[in-house]
Amino acid sequence: MADMTDDIRDALEKQIADLKTEMAGIRKSVASRVNDAEDTFVEVKDRAKDAAHHMRHKAHAAADTIRDNPGTSATVLSATVILGFLAGLVVAGMREPGSHHRR
């Protein structure tokens, strides 16, 4: 009976040792992934900050251009609205006559 108890104890100790080894590997893997995620977050944050700075600079440049050239800006905006309206008419005209949606 003592031999069987010793065998069971040895088997359990081996399983515990194997589990400890596996847990150490998992901890190492998780730590590596956390470090990778932190690095990626810092990189994305820096890129977003650079993009925001760039967009702010471009917005100021556009505002300055509009302020310096109000007539040209009004013409460009009017032309954009007209082209959008015409594009809407073309798309609406391309619809088949029987495809009107009713609610």
Side-chain angles (χ1 to χ4, degrees):
M1 189 71 154
D3 289 339
M4 188 192 276
T5 304
D6 290 340
D7 290 344
I8 291 172
R9 183 181 304 131
D10 290 344
L12 287 174
E13 287 175 355
K14 181 173 178 356
Q15 287 179 355
I16 290 171
D18 290 345
L19 285 173
K20 286 181 179 179
T21 301
E22 191 172 337
M23 288 300 298
I26 289 171
R27 271 190 237 109
K28 188 175 182 180
S29 176
V30 168
S32 173
R33 289 178 188 228
V34 166
N35 286 338
D36 291 347
E38 287 173 347
D39 292 345
T40 300
F41 175 76
V42 169
E43 183 179 334
V44 168
K45 184 179 83 169
D46 291 344
R47 285 185 183 185
K49 187 186 287 186
D50 291 344
H53 176 73
H54 182 70
M55 292 302 293
R56 191 170 27 256
H57 176 72
K58 292 295 183 181
H60 285 297
D64 290 343
T65 301
I66 290 171
R67 197 175 312 112
D68 294 343
N69 304 298
T72 302
S73 300
T75 302
V76 168
L77 289 174
S78 298
T80 303
V81 169
I82 291 170
L83 288 174
F85 178 74
L86 292 175
L89 289 176
V90 168
V91 170
M94 292 173 62
R95 294 179 74 185
E96 294 183 31
S99 68
H100 295 289
H101 296 293
R102 292 188 181 158
R103 294 183 185 192

